[in-house]
Amino acid sequence: MTNLTAVVPVATRPGASVASPKKAVSALLANGILVLIGLCFLLPLAWLVLASLDVRASYQTQIPELLSLENFRAVLTPDLTFRPLWNSFLLSAGASVVTVVASVLAAYPLSRYSMRFNKPFMYAILFGTCLPITAIMVPVYSLFVRLQLIDSMGATILFMAATSLPMSIWMTKNFMDSVPISLEEAAWVDGASAMTALRRIVVPLMRPGLGVVFIFVFVQAWGNFFVPFILLLSPSKQPAAVSIYSFFGQFGAIAYGQLAAFSLLYSVPVILLYALVSRGMGASFCLSGAIKG
Amino acid sequence: MTAEVIVPALAGPAPAGRTGRRQKPTTTWRLLPILPAIVLLLIFLAGPVVWSFYGSFTNASLTGVNAQNPAWIGFGNYLRLFSDPVFPLSLGLTVVFVLASAIVGQNFLGLGIALLMNRAHRFVAGAVGTCVVAAWVLPEIVAAFVAYAYFSQDGTLNQLLAALGMTGPNWLYSFPMLAIVLANVWRGTAFSMMVYRAALNDVPIEITEAAMIDGAGGAKRLFLITIPMIKSSITTNLMLITLQTLSVFTLVWVMTAGGPGNQSTILPVMAFQEAFRFSDIGYGTAIATVMLLIGAVFSIIYIRALRPSKG
C-alpha cells in the first residue's frame, strides 16, 4: 500500500485565506475527508497491482516478497492473452466503426434540416439510450438462435453497434450542431452536394467530436462482458472479458497472480483511451476558430 | 468521457438561419442517410424488444424439442412468475440494490465528494478524483474480480478488520447484499461525482458570495442556494444511475452469482439463471419483459423530467 498512498500527500494551504481561520480549518477538514475517501476507493485496486507482481499472490493485499514479472510472462501466451485481446479489438473496433459511420450519416439530416420527423426520432433515440440492455439479453439470445446468428462475430459486432447507436447519434448530432453551417453554404454555392459537403467539410471539422464518440463506443465494447458471454460460444472467438472469466473459473482458486496480471493487461488499453479523451477534451472543441479563417 | 458527454442534454433548436434554407430535395430523399441507423436499430434493438414480448408467451427452452418449436402458452409464464416465491424476493432485492447503492450510496457520496472538492486543495481534489474514476474506468469484469478479492474471506477488508483486532465475517456468504451494494457504490460513484462537479461549476460564484455577505452559513448556503440551483442535474443523475444500476449483472454474477441460495438474486441474475441454468428461455424472457417495462417507466419519467429544461 505504501507506494500508492505516497502519491496523495496531505497537502493543504492554510495560508490560502488569511482573513478567516475558520475557513482554513474547514479546508483542512475537506482535504482530510477527501483523502480518506480516495484511499477507500484506491484500496481494492491495490490488490490488483500488488498481486500481479507477486508470484505467491493470494486474495490478501500484501507487499510481494519478491517483485517479479513472472505472472505476466505466464499469461502472455497466444491462447490465453493474445487471441482474446485480438478478438476484443475486433469486436470493439468493428462496433465503433459501424456506430460512427451510421451516426454521422444519421446525424447529418437531423442536424441540418428541420423536419417533422426529427423530434419524434430524437425522443425515440433518447428512449433507446435508457433501455436496460441487460434485460434484453435473454430475448436477444433466443432471437439470435432463431436467426442462426449465435457465435457469429459479425452479428455480435452489429448488435453491439446497435446498442450504442442511440447514445452516439445523440452525441454526434450535438457535435454537428456546433459546426457552423456557413462553411457548408460556401461549398453548396460551389456546387457540392450535401454528401460531399458532409465528407469534405463537416466530418473533418468535427473530427475531435467523432474521436470522442469512437472512443466512447470502443471503451464500452471493450469492457462488455455480458453480450459476448451470451452470444459467442466458441473459445476461439471469445474476447478477453469472457476468456478472463473462464480462466477465473478454471484457475481462479490457484493462480491469483496470473488473474491479476491478465486483468491489468486487459484494462490498460481502456485506461489509456480514457486518459486520452479526458486530456484532449479541453482543447479539442475550439471549432469556432474555423469560421474566422 | 466526462459527464457532459454522457448526460444527454436535450439540444436546443438549431441556430436561427439554419432552417428552411434549402427546399430542393424532398423529405424522403433527405432521410436516406438515416436508413442504415434505422435498419440497425430495428433489427437489433427494437427486434429483441418485440421478440421479448412474443417469447414471454411461449415455452421456449434452451435445448430439446421446445427449442426449435416453442408452443404458445399464453400467460402461463406470467402466472408462474407471480406465484414464484423467488420473484417477489428478487424484485425486493432489486429495489434494495437500486435504492441503497445508487440513490443513497452513489448519489450522496458523489455529491459529497463534488462539494468537498470545491473546498479542497486543487491537487488533492485531482488525485482523489482520479482514484474514484479509476474504479469506474476499469472493465466491469475486472472491477468485479477486484471487488470479489476485496470482500472474500481472506481479502483486504478482513485484513483491515484484523489489523483493528476484529475477525471479519465471510462477507460474500454472510452479507451478500451488503457486499454487492458497497461494490456498486465503489464502482459507480464516479459518474455522480462527475455530473455534480460539472453542475457545481455552473453555479455562479456571485450568488454564493452574495448569500455569504448576507450572513448565510455553510449549511444554509448549501440547502437554500446550491442544491436548488443544481436541481435539474440531481434529477438527471438520479434517473441515469437508477437505469444503470437496474442493468448491473456482471458485478453480482462474479461476486455472488445470486447466492447463497437466492439471497442476492437481483432480477437480471434471476432472468439469466432461469434461462440458461434451468434452460427455460420462455420464463427467462418473461422476467426480461418485466425488467423492460420497469426500465421503460423510468425512461419515460426521465424524458419528461428533461423536457422543461429544453431551452
Side-chain angles (χ1 to χ4, degrees):
Chain A
M1 264 324 292
T2 41
N3 54 346
L4 286 166
T5 50
V7 188
V8 192
V10 196
T12 50
R13 288 181 306 174
S17 98
V18 203
S20 76
K22 208 172 150 192
K23 205 173 170 188
V25 172
S26 92
L28 191 70
L29 197 66
N31 282 314
I33 299 174
L34 266 189
V35 169
L36 206 64
I37 294 175
L39 283 180
C40 291
F41 274 83
L42 200 59
L43 202 57
L45 292 175
W47 170 80
L48 189 64
V49 176
L50 292 177
S52 73
L53 297 171
D54 191 348
V55 190
R56 270 175 293 174
S58 66
Y59 279 139
Q60 303 219 334
T61 302
Q62 57 198 6
I63 307 292
E65 281 170 39
L66 185 74
L67 283 178
S68 104
L69 294 175
E70 173 59 29
N71 288 324
F72 288 94
R73 205 191 56 76
V75 293
L76 279 176
T77 62
D79 268 358
L80 217 49
T81 305
F82 295 123
R83 204 186 44 219
L85 284 181
W86 173 245
N87 288 339
S88 286
F89 176 78
L90 281 183
L91 282 177
S92 314
S96 310
V97 169
V98 173
T99 309
V100 167
V101 171
S103 312
V104 168
L105 287 174
Y108 189 69
L110 291 171
S111 164
R112 290 319 193 221
Y113 313 118
S114 70
M115 296 171 287
R116 228 179 313 160
F117 168 82
N118 286 8
K119 214 173 154 191
F121 185 76
M122 288 313 277
Y123 272 115
I125 288 289
L126 190 56
F127 187 72
T129 61
C130 299
L131 270 186
I133 299 301
T134 319
I136 60 172
M137 281 324 288
V138 175
V140 165
Y141 174 82
S142 69
L143 186 63
F144 269 48
V145 168
R146 198 50 86 79
L147 300 174
Q148 299 194 320
L149 292 174
I150 286 291
D151 212 21
S152 147
M153 281 287 248
T156 309
I157 286 174
L158 290 180
F159 176 72
M160 285 176 138
T163 54
S164 48
L165 254 182
M167 184 55 95
S168 55
I169 290 180
W170 192 271
M171 286 160 71
T172 312
K173 182 191 172 280
N174 282 347
F175 284 130
M176 206 177 269
D177 281 346
S178 63
V179 174
I181 200 166
S182 48
L183 296 171
E184 276 162 270
E185 283 170 339
W188 294 333
V189 170
D190 293 342
S193 71
M195 279 301 116
T196 315
L198 172 65
R199 204 181 65 233
R200 291 278 182 78
I201 294 172
V202 183
V203 168
L205 275 178
M206 55 186 297
R207 211 180 287 149
L210 290 182
V212 170
V213 177
F214 185 93
I215 293 179
F216 177 75
V217 180
F218 191 95
V219 168
Q220 267 194 340
W222 184 271
N224 202 324
F225 163 74
F226 200 31
V227 172
F229 181 56
I230 300 270
L231 298 182
L232 295 175
L233 302 180
S234 51
S236 63
K237 290 177 185 165
Q238 282 170 347
V242 181
S243 73
I244 221 172
Y245 178 76
S246 359
F247 177 82
F248 167 73
Q250 283 165 15
F251 312 105
I254 328 151
Y256 306 98
Q258 293 183 18
L259 180 70
F262 191 5
S263 299
L264 271 184
L265 285 173
Y266 165 56
S267 307
V268 163
V270 199
I271 295 172
L272 290 181
L273 283 176
Y274 177 78
L276 190 76
V277 171
S278 55
R279 275 281 165 84
M281 264 326 218
S284 61
F285 290 93
C286 309
L287 279 171
S288 50
I291 202 168
K292 286 180 195 145
Chain B
M1 244 141 305
T2 59
E4 295 98 299
V5 176
I6 291 163
V7 181
L10 266 176
R18 174 170 293 174
T19 50
R21 275 286 169 85
R22 294 178 301 154
Q23 298 295 333
K24 226 176 15 182
T26 61
T27 303
T28 340
W29 187 245
R30 284 173 170 181
L31 285 179
L32 202 61
I34 308 188
L35 210 60
I38 289 185
V39 170
L40 269 177
L41 288 172
L42 281 182
I43 297 178
F44 290 106
L45 214 55
V49 171
V50 174
W51 188 258
S52 177
F53 281 90
Y54 165 76
S56 65
F57 293 105
T58 67
N59 64 352
S61 65
L62 197 59
T63 50
V65 187
N66 288 343
Q68 286 308 315
N69 297 305
W72 183 268
I73 55 165
F75 284 93
N77 284 323
Y78 291 100
L79 291 177
R80 188 180 144 203
L81 188 62
F82 291 120
S83 59
D84 188 339
V86 182
F87 179 65
L89 172 75
S90 180
L91 198 61
L93 289 174
T94 310
V95 171
V96 169
F97 185 59
V98 170
L99 274 180
S101 74
I103 309 282
V104 176
Q106 294 180 7
N107 183 48
F108 281 98
L109 189 57
L111 182 60
I113 295 175
L115 285 169
L116 284 172
M117 276 176 160
N118 278 356
R119 297 180 171 211
H121 189 274
R122 212 208 290 169
F123 181 78
V124 175
V128 172
T130 309
C131 296
V132 177
V133 169
W136 181 71
V137 173
L138 283 182
E140 53 183 344
I141 189 92
V142 176
F145 284 139
V146 169
Y148 178 85
Y150 186 76
F151 286 105
S152 64
Q153 175 85 66
D154 47 2
T156 313
L157 181 58
N158 281 347
Q159 270 182 286
L160 281 179
L161 290 176
L164 295 172
M166 286 181 273
T167 314
N170 186 348
W171 296 95
L172 296 169
Y173 200 80
S174 311
F175 303 99
M177 276 310 281
L178 184 65
I180 63 172
V181 163
L182 288 176
N184 196 42
V185 171
W186 169 72
R187 166 118 174 108
T189 298
F191 185 81
S192 303
M193 179 191 82
M194 290 189 295
V195 170
Y196 288 136
R197 278 217 88 181
L200 289 177
N201 278 339
D202 289 343
V203 176
I205 193 142
E206 293 85 2
I207 298 180
T208 339
E209 273 174 356
M212 207 146 103
I213 290 166
D214 289 345
K220 245 186 175 169
R221 284 204 305 276
L222 175 64
F223 287 109
L224 295 179
I225 299 186
T226 312
I227 301 278
M229 287 201 75
I230 60 168
K231 218 168 71 185
S232 68
S233 298
I234 297 179
T235 321
T236 310
N237 183 53
L238 283 178
M239 290 320 300
L240 288 178
I241 58 176
T242 300
L243 288 162
Q244 283 167 8
T245 307
L246 274 177
S247 52
V248 167
F249 169 82
T250 310
L251 196 66
V252 180
W253 183 248
V254 168
M255 285 178 72
T256 67
N262 284 315
Q263 283 180 46
S264 58
T265 308
I266 55 171
L267 282 177
V269 175
M270 184 184 177
F272 179 85
Q273 283 188 329
E274 293 295 343
F276 295 106
R277 196 173 270 179
F278 307 122
S279 301
D280 198 336
I281 296 280
Y283 193 45
T285 308
I287 302 169
T289 310
V290 171
M291 276 195 285
L292 270 180
L293 289 175
I294 297 175
V297 169
F298 276 100
S299 311
I300 289 168
I301 300 174
Y302 164 59
I303 292 170
R304 295 216 123 181
L306 270 183
R307 234 186 228 166
S309 66
K310 197 179 164 194

